[in-house]
Amino acid sequence: MLRTALRNVLAHKARLLMTALAVLLGVAFVAGTLIFSDTVGEAVKNASTKNLKDVAVSVQAVSDSDTGGGPGKDGKRATALDDKLADRIRALPGVESVRPEVTGEATLAAKDGRPLGEGRFNRAVNYRPDTGGKDSRYPLAQGRGPAAGNEIVLAAGTAQAAGYRIGDTVRFATDGPVLKKKLVGTVTTDDPQVTAGGTLALFDTATAQKLYLHPGQFDELVVAAEPGTDQRALTAKVRELLPEGRAEARSGAELAAEQTRMIAQQNSALSQTLLTFAGIALFVGVFIIANTFTMLISQRSREIALLRAVGASRRQVVRSVLAEAGLLGLVSSVVGLALGTGLAVGLRAVLDANGVGFPDGPLVISPTAVLSALGVGVVVTVLAAWLPSRKAAKIAPVEALSSVEAPPAPRGLLVRNIIGSVVTGLGVATMLWVSTLTSGDDLPIAMAGSMLTLTGVIILAPLLSRPLVSLAGLVTTRLFGVGGKLAKENALRNPRRTAATASALMIGLTLITGMTVVGHSTQRGMDKMAATGMTADYQIGTSTFVGLDPELSKKVARLPGVEAMAPLRGAGFNADGGYGYLHGTDLDQIGKVTHLTFRKGSLDAVRAGGIAISQSGAKEHGWDVGDRIGAEFYDKKKAELTIAAVYDDNDMLGESFAATSLVDPHLEQLKDDTLLVKAAGGGSEALVKDIRHALGDSPLVKVQDHDDLRKESAGQIDTVLNMVYGLLGMAVVIAVVGVVNTLAMSVFERTREIGMLRAIGLSRGGIKQMVRLESVVLSLFGAVLGIGVGIFLAWAGGSLVGSSFPTYEMVLPWGRIGLFLLIALVVGVLAALWPARRAARLNVLEAIGAQ
């Protein structure tokens, strides 16, 4: 029986080709994900280890309690690490050296003015030369190290990305106006944060302390040990010297382990996402594999009957089919593994080209990745072939031998329809319940309901195929005559086969449609929120959320062409077991830059010392005008807040707002989070330039108008959607392979029938048209089901998205839905090219004589 299985694989290579392609594409997705994750993880781990190779003990500062763990009112941190503590640690036995470090953030402006590393790690550290005048931690690539307050050194990659050369003036900002220093050198670094796309700037120690700390203070003391020194014992000795609660010491091994753990967590999210889509692709492949083996078994019924007649047991027949599937899965998985390796390399190159930098490192193909990919491919193929193998085992020898020319009797769909109706009913009921929920915590319920609904529709697909395909047949018959009618009848001939082929495409389009509808509706809600929340022409903030100096904000308000300007700064507080955020603003100006509608109370009442709260906030907490709230702010100061007004929800003002005088006492550092600016007569490029100049031309500053805000939010949503389209594209490709496979095997199965059609006068073009229309009908059936289910799931689950903001409203993107239908139409035409050509080229006499 094993020889029989091998012979069947070799005898039906062409028929199994498309099935093998579906398996290898799914395995390639899995293998590529695992290899990419292992490669990136190992590269970052090696970079981290190399970066920490000389670190025996790391002493890190804990910020002073009087600053609440952050910068003080002067904008600088206070630490307990100083030269005296460094000298005491340096005197310990086994200590080779102690390197004091100052760290901070510096956003660099490229030579053309654009900010570098936005949203990434913009590191700034002190350059600490040894007796030879060089810093071993940051080897020089060009020039020299910084030696004065007006000098700066950059990482070589940072300087190249910015377009700077030795001698150029570098513009940057730490927490406010732009600063300028002369570039005197570049360095190399193994810091994974920098090699992954961040930036690195180095100053002399005194300058770094002036920018981020106080004179003589450090953020970290890096201790190097003499050869043979026990790190744990040395770490314990260092801890004895540290002031309690103000510094902590960890060994280099602990730091390396922590970085490894963090890297694993960071890679885990991406890997799990990619593996989820790989699972979808493999799930789609299951339909193709099962369909292929069902058709093969139907075509080989006489052969199987002969095997049963000469003594093969049912169990041997099952084993033979499963062995055939296992061999197919193994060969396909090996090829898929090789393709997945290429995908991993390509994915890394694409991400690097789009600014997602990774440290350099070799390609890592672990035994786990290889065994997982091969195992998944073989197991999925064997499981998909299990039901067809049981069907093969049930073939009665005498019945099959005596009725070779007769088509197999169709099996009833009653049991399947009942099961499908129950599962679909449960799924729809769950999703209708989900449509009444408003908490994002209910997402698992929505996912379960979506799975039930989709599974139920897949089970019911044979039942649904008859009315939908018949409807499509009316169109094809009217437009194409006999060819269209034959296409409809062929599609209806085997509902199970039609359903399995269409379901593969339906799954991908269900997910794509659902994500598109939710994304489009979310974008429309964001646009509506921005339009109703802000009447100002510009929103001004900083890319690193460090805030803006209020004195600079006042300069903006005094600019010619500025009609109104309202700052927003806030403080968090706890009240009644919950937490809130109180925005402070200029009460005389806020009504000019936002849509502000009061339901209760008035702005005058807020000016009298009260606070205003949003309608949703009042409803959530059960608060009303006149209520007094006992609040404890995050600076541990307590205050009694009086609700003076309730206003319609406003995204710019959030849950509550008051005068700045009520908020300022609770801020550790007086900074404006956002400025809302309304221009006299509308905005202009000249006014934007003046605003930037008033704010010191800092690369931190973001001046955004309504279009910029829309593009920013739309860009995030479009990025997610494009990623989903790309990842689900693999599932759609596999579905197309399924359509090709089904049509090709169906043409082989109907060889005699096609010969008869040619004999009675149907032309080669008519045969091609018949096959093409059958393919289009199958594709459109899957597309209609997928789009319909996707829209329903998006509608039912939209309430969970709407919990994030009240302006969410489901909007159907008719343009994209039409595009999806057009794609399905094109898929149908393209998938039929080879099967139609093969059918049209059949020799009439040979086809009529085929068995």
Side-chain angles (χ1 to χ4, degrees):
M1 295 304 292
L2 290 174
R3 286 198 299 271
T4 300
L6 179 60
R7 180 184 61 79
N8 282 329
V9 172
L10 296 176
H12 301 106
K13 295 189 293 293
R15 298 187 220 175
L16 292 172
L17 178 62
M18 290 298 171
T19 305
L21 183 59
V23 176
L24 75 86
L25 286 175
V27 170
F29 208 154
V30 174
T33 298
L34 295 174
I35 293 172
F36 170 78
S37 179
D38 290 342
T39 299
V40 172
E42 189 66 20
V44 177
K45 180 181 177 181
N46 290 340
S48 299
T49 302
K50 192 174 181 181
N51 193 47
L52 294 171
K53 64 179 180 179
D54 295 325
V55 180
V57 183
S58 171
V59 180
Q60 297 180 350
V62 176
S63 298
D64 282 350
S65 58
D66 62 349
T67 65
K73 294 186 177 181
D74 59 357
K76 299 177 182 179
R77 304 183 303 274
T79 76
L81 306 187
D82 53 22
D83 287 318
K84 292 182 179 179
L85 180 60
D87 290 338
R88 293 173 62 192
I89 294 174
R90 197 176 285 113
L92 289 173
V95 173
E96 183 178 34
S97 65
V98 176
R99 172 191 171 85
E101 291 196 351
V102 180
T103 59
E105 290 188 3
T107 301
L108 301 168
K111 205 167 185 179
D112 58 7
R114 60 187 170 84
L116 285 181
E118 187 174 354
R120 298 183 180 277
F121 299 102
N122 300 321
R123 294 201 66 210
V125 299
N126 63 315
Y127 186 83
R128 187 84 176 184
D130 53 22
T131 54
K134 297 181 180 180
D135 189 334
S136 59
R137 189 175 179 85
Y138 300 103
L140 285 168
Q142 284 184 314
R144 59 177 177 82
N150 65 337
E151 296 178 346
I152 188 173
V153 167
L154 300 178
T158 302
Q160 182 179 3
Y164 287 124
R165 295 183 178 181
I166 304 296
D168 288 344
T169 298
V170 177
R171 298 173 62 249
F172 68 97
T174 57
D175 62 354
V178 70
L179 301 173
K180 298 178 181 179
K181 296 186 185 298
K182 181 180 179 182
L183 182 64
V184 297
T186 60
V187 299
T188 59
T189 178
D190 297 314
D191 190 329
Q193 294 179 346
V194 179
T195 55
T199 63
L200 175 65
L202 300 97
F203 311 99
D204 67 278
T205 300
T207 301
Q209 290 172 332
K210 183 178 179 181
L211 288 172
Y212 304 108
L213 297 173
H214 296 281
Q217 294 183 349
F218 304 98
D219 290 297
E220 183 180 11
L221 300 177
V222 178
V223 181
E226 295 176 350
T229 303
D230 184 87
Q231 280 193 10
R232 291 185 179 182
L234 182 57
T235 303
K237 292 179 181 178
V238 170
R239 284 175 180 154
E240 295 176 357
L241 302 178
L242 303 182
E244 187 175 354
R246 307 206 34 210
E248 58 183 9
R250 287 182 292 177
S251 67
E254 289 175 328
L255 288 175
E258 181 181 350
Q259 286 197 0
T260 301
R261 185 168 58 253
M262 291 176 62
I263 292 165
Q265 291 176 350
Q266 292 170 358
N267 287 339
S268 175
L270 177 60
S271 298
Q272 288 176 2
T273 300
L274 292 175
L275 284 174
T276 298
F277 286 97
I280 294 171
L282 284 170
F283 183 60
V284 170
V286 166
F287 291 90
I288 298 170
I289 299 166
N291 217 14
T292 300
F293 276 93
T294 299
M295 296 173 74
L296 280 175
I297 287 166
S298 176
Q299 295 168 17
R300 285 160 38 196
S301 58
R302 185 174 186 180
E303 174 189 327
I304 295 172
L306 285 171
L307 289 173
R308 295 279 285 115
V310 298
S313 66
R314 290 188 174 186
R315 183 172 296 179
Q316 285 178 311
V317 172
V318 171
R319 288 175 179 173
S320 174
V321 175
L322 293 182
E324 186 177 342
L327 183 60
L328 174 68
L330 180 61
V331 173
S332 303
S333 298
V334 170
V335 179
L337 178 63
L339 179 60
T341 304
L343 286 176
V345 175
L347 177 60
R348 180 170 178 176
V350 169
L351 292 175
D352 283 339
N354 284 275
V356 185
F358 294 109
D360 294 331
L363 185 69
V364 177
I365 305 176
S366 67
T368 301
V370 173
L371 294 176
S372 297
L374 296 179
V376 165
V378 173
V379 170
V380 167
T381 308
V382 170
L383 287 178
W386 182 67
L387 285 177
S389 72
R390 289 178 59 84
K391 179 183 176 182
K394 293 179 181 179
I395 294 176
V398 175
E399 181 183 350
L401 289 172
S402 63
S403 58
V404 171
E405 301 298 329
R411 290 183 295 146
L413 292 170
L414 180 61
V415 175
R416 176 169 180 160
N417 291 340
I418 292 174
I419 295 174
S421 299
V422 171
V423 175
T424 304
L426 287 174
V428 171
T430 302
M431 294 310 296
L432 291 176
W433 176 39
V434 167
S435 68
T436 66
L437 304 176
T438 58
S439 173
D441 296 335
D442 297 317
L443 182 60
I445 301 175
M447 293 177 65
S450 299
M451 288 296 297
L452 282 173
T453 304
L454 185 58
T455 303
V457 173
I458 291 172
I459 298 173
L460 283 179
L463 177 65
L464 298 172
S465 67
R466 185 161 293 278
L468 291 177
V469 172
S470 297
L471 182 62
L474 293 177
V475 178
T476 57
T477 301
R478 182 176 292 272
L479 294 178
F480 302 100
V482 174
K485 184 175 182 179
L486 289 172
K488 180 197 75 171
E489 295 300 329
N490 288 333
L492 290 174
R493 181 178 301 184
N494 192 325
R496 283 186 172 84
R497 182 184 302 173
T498 298
T501 305
S503 294
L505 185 60
M506 180 194 76
I507 294 169
L509 283 178
T510 295
L511 297 173
I512 289 175
T513 302
M515 291 293 294
T516 300
V517 172
V518 171
H520 187 75
S521 301
T522 301
Q523 179 58 54
R524 187 66 61 86
M526 288 183 173
D527 290 347
K528 187 177 179 181
M529 182 183 293
T532 58
M534 187 176 87
T535 59
D537 294 293
Y538 298 106
Q539 175 180 303
I540 304 170
T542 57
S543 58
T544 55
F545 308 104
V546 296
L548 297 164
D549 188 334
E551 293 302 318
L552 293 177
S553 302
K554 293 176 183 177
K555 288 184 178 181
V556 173
R558 294 192 293 266
L559 287 174
V562 172
E563 180 180 325
M565 191 281 291
L568 290 174
R569 48 185 183 258
F573 65 88
N574 294 306
D576 297 340
Y579 63 89
Y581 194 82
L582 182 63
H583 280 103
T585 188
D586 185 338
L587 299 180
D588 293 329
Q589 299 290 318
I590 191 62
K592 300 177 183 179
V593 295
T594 65
H595 286 286
L596 193 55
T597 303
F598 288 97
R599 292 296 181 95
K600 296 180 181 180
S602 65
L603 196 58
D604 289 334
V606 180
R607 287 192 183 97
I611 70 169
I613 188 167
S614 68
Q615 186 179 11
S616 60
K619 183 178 180 181
E620 180 182 354
H621 298 288
W623 294 337
D624 204 348
V625 171
D627 288 350
R628 294 178 178 272
I629 305 171
E632 181 180 356
F633 285 86
Y634 290 172
D635 63 352
K636 305 302 181 183
K637 296 177 183 177
K638 296 182 179 180
E640 190 174 74
L641 306 176
T642 302
I643 298 178
V646 177
Y647 58 93
D648 284 342
D649 289 349
N650 184 304
D651 185 54
M652 303 307 303
L653 295 172
E655 186 181 74
S656 59
F657 74 89
T660 54
S661 59
L662 197 61
V663 173
D664 290 354
H666 304 287
L667 298 178
E668 297 168 353
Q669 192 175 4
L670 198 60
K671 289 289 185 76
D672 290 326
D673 299 324
T674 305
L675 304 181
L676 301 178
V677 176
K678 186 173 181 61
S684 66
E685 288 295 327
L687 180 58
V688 172
K689 187 176 180 180
D690 290 341
I691 291 172
R692 290 189 176 280
H693 184 67
L695 295 174
D697 289 325
S698 171
L700 295 173
V701 173
K702 295 168 64 176
V703 182
Q704 297 172 295
D705 59 17
H706 285 268
D707 287 338
D708 293 329
L709 293 172
R710 287 192 183 97
K711 289 176 183 177
E712 186 175 68
S713 58
Q716 296 171 354
I717 294 173
D718 286 344
T719 298
V720 173
L721 286 180
N722 290 335
M723 182 184 72
V724 170
Y725 292 158
L727 294 174
L728 287 177
M730 184 71 77
V732 175
V733 169
I734 293 175
V736 174
V737 169
V739 177
V740 176
N741 198 34
T742 299
L743 288 174
M745 296 188 72
S746 181
V747 166
F748 178 84
E749 197 173 62
R750 303 198 310 256
T751 298
R752 186 172 186 180
E753 176 186 319
I754 292 172
M756 292 295 293
L757 289 172
R758 291 276 290 116
I760 61 176
L762 192 61
S763 65
R764 292 181 185 272
I767 295 293
K768 286 183 178 181
Q769 185 185 77
M770 177 187 71
V771 176
R772 281 198 297 265
L773 289 175
E774 181 181 353
S775 176
V776 168
V777 167
L778 287 173
S779 299
L780 288 179
F781 172 49
V784 169
L785 276 185
I787 291 172
V789 175
I791 291 174
F792 169 73
L793 296 180
W795 168 79
S799 60
L800 303 183
V801 181
S803 64
S804 302
F805 53 94
T807 55
Y808 178 87
E809 181 181 1
M810 179 173 161
V811 179
L812 293 180
W814 292 110
R816 293 199 181 185
I817 290 175
L819 179 61
F820 296 157
L821 287 172
L822 180 61
I823 290 173
L825 180 64
V826 173
V827 163
V829 173
L830 294 178
L833 289 178
W834 176 56
R837 185 168 179 270
R838 183 176 182 275
R841 295 182 66 183
L842 289 174
N843 182 280
V844 176
L845 295 178
E846 291 179 359
I848 292 175
Q851 297 294 325

